[in-house]
Amino acid sequence: MTKPALLLSDDIVKQLEAISLYQALFPELAGAEQPWEVDYNSFQDLRYKFHEIEDGVRAAYPDREITCVIAGKGAFWLPQSGLDLYRDQVGKNLKALKEDGPMPVWQLTTAEMFANHIGNLRQLVMAAAHDMVLLNQFKESLGNNHTFLNREFENSELHVRGLLDELKEQGAHLSFSLSENIMLAERCRITQELLSRGELTSKQLGYDEKTLEEAIKILDSRLKKRMPTYQRRIMAVHSQAKDLLRGGEVTQLTRVSRWDMAYAFIGKPPKGYQGQAVAAYMEREGMTAVVASREEELGASEKGKEALVIAQEAVEARKAPEAAPIPAVEGAPPQAQAPKPEKKRVRGMAFLDRKR
């Protein structure tokens, strides 16, 4: 079975696009094509845009259950039928993810890890901006818990901005990993390992192991002529890409766990927002499986262990008959606090029931 890398596959996103009440793609929202182009000011603009869209969509459909689902491609506001589709399709991926785990890191080339991380960051940038907008809708429902969660989501945004800064420094490494010969060399080594583990056969490949070894020798000779120390550089860049990937996944698990906990504290979300609780639960379950798998494959990390503890706190909060007290959180408040978005009138926005 193919192991799902994401709960929201491209095929599912296409289906959500077709059924959404409204959609906004990453470039439109962020004002940039790539996540590393998003700076502090554009982050604030992104939050304002989410605020406008949320107000506009919910005003246009006041009696509808609306769920905002965010993928790397963009944000989609779904009617009940879209939530049903999400629950069904993502539920299948979630089941497979829990049973088989994500694609292990050792099966990914460095370029593939960077691509996965960039996709995760696109989603995180939009999600972090939307979090504060959504949280304000539950200020009364959360009571004293709102202050704690507000600080948690402000910290989450700071973590996302830190990940963006780290990615900006990877330009040369990213270009190196995208070199055709580097990608081929890494893929050949991975294929060789799959053969040695018995997870792949020569018959499935269409060529024998001897042919593969010859290809590795040719690539090795070609790369050594251009860069005698290329193998050391591959190892160094691969290690950095791996750390970045894990950092993004841990950040995602932490923020969705806090949302799952928030909905547990609320009990039953207000009308129109109940689908958000479903999405938070499913995403928390999926990211828990991803982070736990990375911890097992790559060794325990402090950030990974902390994120899994937070995920378990959300599970325990869900079991409580009533909203349990928020656990004490150590550490200073964030150094920079994002300003609360101002309400703006939505101009030129069309909200249509899309049946495509």
Side-chain angles (χ1 to χ4, degrees), residues 1-4 96 99-100:
M1 174 183 282
T2 301
K3 298 183 178 181
E99 291 177 354
D100 302 325

Side-chain angles (χ1 to χ4, degrees), residues 11 13 23 26 37 46 58 65 67 85 88 96 104 112 118 133-134 161 236 241 329 342 344:
D11 287 342
V13 170
Q23 58 183 266
F26 179 84
E37 297 171 343
L46 178 56
R58 294 184 185 279
E65 184 66 39
T67 305
L85 174 67
D88 177 61
E112 287 168 340
I118 290 168
V133 174
L134 191 59
R161 296 213 306 258
V329 177
E342 300 174 359
K344 298 182 180 180

Side-chain angles (χ1 to χ4, degrees), residues 226-241:
R226 297 181 60 184
M227 184 185 296
T229 60
Y230 87 91
Q231 289 176 324
R232 263 188 293 174
R233 187 171 181 192
I234 284 181
M235 291 176 63
V237 176
H238 186 88
S239 178
Q240 291 189 43

